[in-house]
C-alpha cells in the first residue's frame, strides 16, 4: 500500500501525514474473513489500532493481515505493515 496507488490513504491527512482511516482497516478485515471463511456478517469486538498506517510519497508498505481461529471458535486478526525494501537498479 502506498499513497501513489491508494486514494484512501492519500486523501486522508492528519497533521500533514497521510493515514489509512479506520473504515479502511474494517474493510480489509471484512474482505479477508469473507474470502477465507465465507463469512458475510462480522461482529467486531476489542478492536485496537496500536499504530496508524502512515503513507509517504514514493514509499510502499507491505501490508499483511493474519487470521487465526481460537479454540473457543472466535476468530482473531492482526494487521501489520513494513516498508518494502527498495531493489537496487
Amino acid at each position: 500500500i502506498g499513497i501513489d496507488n491508494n486514494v484512501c490513504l492519500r486523501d486522508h491527512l492528519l497533521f500533514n501525514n497521510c493515514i489509512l482511516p479506520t473504515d479502511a482497516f474494517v474493510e480489509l478485515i471484512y474482505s479477508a474473513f469473507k474470502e477465507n471463511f465465507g463469512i458475510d456478517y462480522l461482529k467486531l469486538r476489542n478492536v485496537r489500532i496500536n499504530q496508524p498506517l502512515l503513507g509517504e510519497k514514493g514509499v510502499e508498505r507491505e501490508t499483511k493481515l493474519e487470521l487465526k481461529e481460537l479454540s473457543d471458535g472466535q476468530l482473531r486478526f492482526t494487521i501489520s505493515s513494513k516498508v518494502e525494501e527498495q531493489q537496487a537498479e
Side-chain angles (χ1 to χ4, degrees), residues 28-30 32-33 36-37 39 42-48 50 64-79:
L28 284 170
I29 297 160
Y30 174 74
F33 275 81
N36 291 282
F37 297 102
I39 295 172
L42 288 177
K43 180 179 181 180
L44 299 176
R45 293 183 296 172
N46 301 321
V47 176
R48 181 178 64 220
N50 292 332
K64 179 170 65 171
L65 189 143
E66 295 180 73
L67 303 172
K68 180 179 179 182
E69 187 168 3
L70 304 177
S71 60
D72 62 1
Q74 293 187 55
L75 300 171
R76 175 172 289 162
F77 64 88
T78 303
I79 299 173

Side-chain angles (χ1 to χ4, degrees), residues 3-87:
I3 65 171
D4 298 328
N5 65 9
N6 188 299
V7 69
C8 191
L9 181 59
R10 181 177 57 239
D11 288 350
H12 289 85
L13 294 174
L14 180 65
F15 302 113
N16 293 320
N17 292 305
C18 294
I19 185 169
L20 191 68
T22 304
D23 60 335
F25 278 106
V26 172
E27 179 58 33
L28 284 170
I29 297 160
Y30 174 74
S31 295
F33 275 81
K34 183 172 183 162
E35 183 177 318
N36 291 282
F37 297 102
I39 295 172
D40 288 321
Y41 171 80
L42 288 177
K43 180 179 181 180
L44 299 176
R45 293 183 296 172
N46 301 321
V47 176
R48 181 178 64 220
I49 298 175
N50 292 332
Q51 291 183 316
L53 194 154
L54 300 176
E56 299 175 51
K57 187 164 183 59
V59 176
E60 293 287 319
R61 297 190 71 84
E62 178 183 338
T63 305
K64 179 170 65 171
L65 189 143
E66 295 180 73
L67 303 172
K68 180 179 179 182
E69 187 168 3
L70 304 177
S71 60
D72 62 1
Q74 293 187 55
L75 300 171
R76 175 172 289 162
F77 64 88
T78 303
I79 299 173
S80 59
S81 68
K82 66 179 182 178
V83 174
E84 288 186 347
E85 294 183 24
Q86 302 295 323
Q87 295 190 9

